[in-house]
Amino acid sequence: HIQDPASQRLTWNKPPKSVLVIKKIRDASLLQPFKELCVYLTEENNMIVYVEKKVLEDPAIANDENFGPVKKKFCTFREDYDDISNQIDFIICLGGDGTLLYASSLFQGSVPPVMAFHLGSLGFLTPFNFENFQSQVTQVIEGNAALVLRSRLKVKVVKEHREKMTVQNGIEENGVMSANLEKEVGKQIMQYQVLNEVVVDRGPSSYLSNVDVFLDGHLITTVQGDGVIVSTPTGSTAYAAAAGASMIHPNVPAIMITPICPHSLSFRPIVVPAGVELKIMLSPDARNTAWVSFDGRKRQEICHGDSISITTSCYPLPSICFRDPVSDWFESLAECLHWNVRKKQNNFAVEEEE
């Protein structure tokens, strides 16, 4: 029996008590919805509300005396400083798709269910309209909602950590003339959880990027072009779609590999099974370094000897649906991307019989 994607439902073991509210900063249009939502959560539902400290530093919030009593009840945190991963029951996002990606980045392990309101520019991943937020939030608190588990990528970046050792006056201790040396002092390892995609590109270089792609230890191809996108099904409608890839429903267990402007007529995007391990490295004869970013963040340079390992994470992002996973996805395709929009062909007029 294959599970119907629409059968996934939100269930609470115990009533939720704490909620993280993520607001797109520097957006004046979100101030009133943010205040209304926080008042509703704290005063009518007695929820513990977590808000990022920099959100409350906005002068329009900091100087609002009427909002002061509500603001005093907030629990605040700072990104990269405070760990709130075990204190949140569910998340509410106000903004565009970027707020959902930001929420994902805050939780490098298990992610609480996310309810995303469409108050941004695109809104492919944000199905809720804010007009009826009270009833919709109440439905979520009561556990009456459908879920889609959006798979993420677990990414490990291993860098050959080198530091330059300057030799005074160009002479080493043994008296031999020497230039500056690079001394290897071990490896630097970084890990990320990615919701949309990992992008490897040529950065500021004018040369083609030249990177090798391995699948479960086997070299499958070398990418010569502007770069390569490794995306989740959720990310298939983002950068990958712009680069010519197919769009994959988020319930499909898969990883997509999409070249960016490849210098090859036959390099088509491919889909591989979720769970395989991909490894990306600079080709030995690459003329230049490459650059990598994770959901558009943490951009960094990749040099010879460095590697990027990518596989499906065991920590998906549970996204709360407006209706169900299938209806929400096709509505987003129609509303945001205008998928298959075309003026309809006229039918033949039926001739009246004489």
Side-chain angles (χ1 to χ4, degrees):
H1 175 70
I2 298 175
Q3 185 185 16
D4 177 7
S7 67
Q8 294 174 346
R9 306 291 300 181
L10 171 65
T11 56
W12 300 110
N13 293 327
K14 56 183 179 180
K17 292 294 182 185
S18 59
V19 56
L20 167 62
V21 178
I22 294 179
K23 183 186 86 69
K24 184 180 178 183
I25 60 172
R26 295 187 296 273
D27 191 335
S29 66
L30 297 180
L31 291 172
Q32 191 57 36
F34 172 74
K35 291 174 182 178
E36 290 178 18
L37 174 65
C38 291
V39 169
Y40 178 73
L41 291 169
T42 55
E43 296 186 356
E44 296 193 34
N45 289 280
N46 295 317
M47 302 286 288
I48 301 168
V49 176
Y50 283 77
V51 178
E52 195 167 6
K53 200 168 186 179
K54 64 184 177 184
V55 170
L56 300 182
E57 291 169 355
D58 189 320
I61 294 175
N63 300 330
D64 187 345
E65 294 180 0
N66 296 328
F67 194 60
V70 177
K71 193 170 62 174
K72 286 179 181 177
K73 298 178 183 178
F74 289 160
C75 294
T76 59
F77 72 98
R78 294 172 298 167
E79 184 189 8
D80 297 332
Y81 282 93
D82 303 312
D83 182 14
I84 58 168
S85 55
N86 294 322
Q87 301 167 37
I88 305 298
D89 291 328
F90 74 104
I91 304 168
I92 297 179
C93 293
L94 302 177
D97 292 349
T99 57
L100 188 69
L101 294 172
Y102 180 66
S104 171
S105 71
L106 293 175
F107 294 86
Q108 293 299 298
S110 180
V111 189
V114 183
M115 183 182 194
F117 284 93
H118 169 34
L119 293 160
S121 56
L122 184 61
F124 195 93
L125 307 176
T126 52
F128 288 93
N129 194 312
F130 195 76
E131 289 177 6
N132 303 313
F133 79 92
Q134 293 99 333
S135 61
Q136 292 168 340
V137 170
T138 300
Q139 293 283 325
V140 171
I141 292 173
E142 293 175 352
N144 185 20
L147 273 182
V148 57
L149 295 177
R150 297 185 178 277
S151 66
R152 298 196 293 175
L153 298 174
K154 182 176 75 172
V155 187
K156 183 171 75 171
V157 180
V158 179
K159 289 188 173 183
E160 299 288 348
H161 192 64
R162 296 180 176 89
E163 65 177 17
K164 287 197 173 180
M165 181 176 65
T166 304
V167 183
Q168 193 171 10
N169 298 326
I171 302 175
E172 289 186 341
E173 292 177 352
N174 57 8
V176 179
M177 293 292 292
S178 173
N180 288 351
L181 299 176
E182 282 195 350
K183 180 183 178 183
E184 188 171 321
V185 293
K187 296 180 184 294
Q188 182 184 11
I189 300 175
M190 293 154 287
Q191 294 203 31
Y192 305 96
Q193 296 283 331
V194 175
L195 179 60
N196 260 0
E197 73 270 303
V198 179
V199 177
V200 180
D201 61 66
R202 61 189 172 94
S205 172
S206 59
Y207 295 114
L208 292 173
S209 74
N210 211 320
V211 296
D212 293 336
V213 180
F214 300 83
L215 192 150
D216 287 341
H218 303 286
L219 176 67
I220 56 169
T221 193
T222 298
V223 180
Q224 295 186 93
D226 280 354
V228 64
I229 305 164
V230 179
S231 60
T232 63
T234 295
S236 71
T237 49
Y239 193 176
S246 295
M247 295 178 288
I248 304 174
H249 189 278
N251 277 114
V252 177
I255 299 174
M256 177 176 276
I257 303 169
T258 307
I260 308 170
C261 298
H263 202 238
S264 165
L265 297 177
S266 59
F267 198 163
R268 300 289 295 274
I270 60 170
V271 179
V272 296
V276 300
E277 182 171 22
L278 295 169
K279 190 173 184 179
I280 299 176
M281 300 181 72
L282 273 181
S283 298
D285 54 354
R287 292 183 176 184
N288 56 301
T289 62
W291 288 76
V292 62
S293 61
F294 314 93
D295 283 342
R297 294 162 56 90
K298 309 289 186 184
R299 187 167 168 80
Q300 54 197 267
E301 191 173 16
I302 298 298
C303 303
H304 284 95
D306 300 343
S307 66
I308 305 162
S309 298
I310 306 168
T311 190
T312 305
S313 169
C314 57
Y315 301 110
L317 183 140
S319 181
I320 298 171
C321 301
F322 180 65
R323 287 193 180 86
D324 62 75
V326 174
S327 300
D328 283 13
W329 194 66
F330 279 100
E331 281 187 21
S332 290
L333 287 181
E335 289 290 325
C336 301
L337 301 183
H338 302 294
W339 178 62
N340 199 26
V341 173
R342 179 191 185 276
K343 186 177 179 181
K344 287 206 171 183
Q345 192 176 45
N346 292 331
N347 63 342
F348 288 121
V350 179
E351 297 181 5
E352 295 181 6
E353 294 183 4
E354 295 182 1

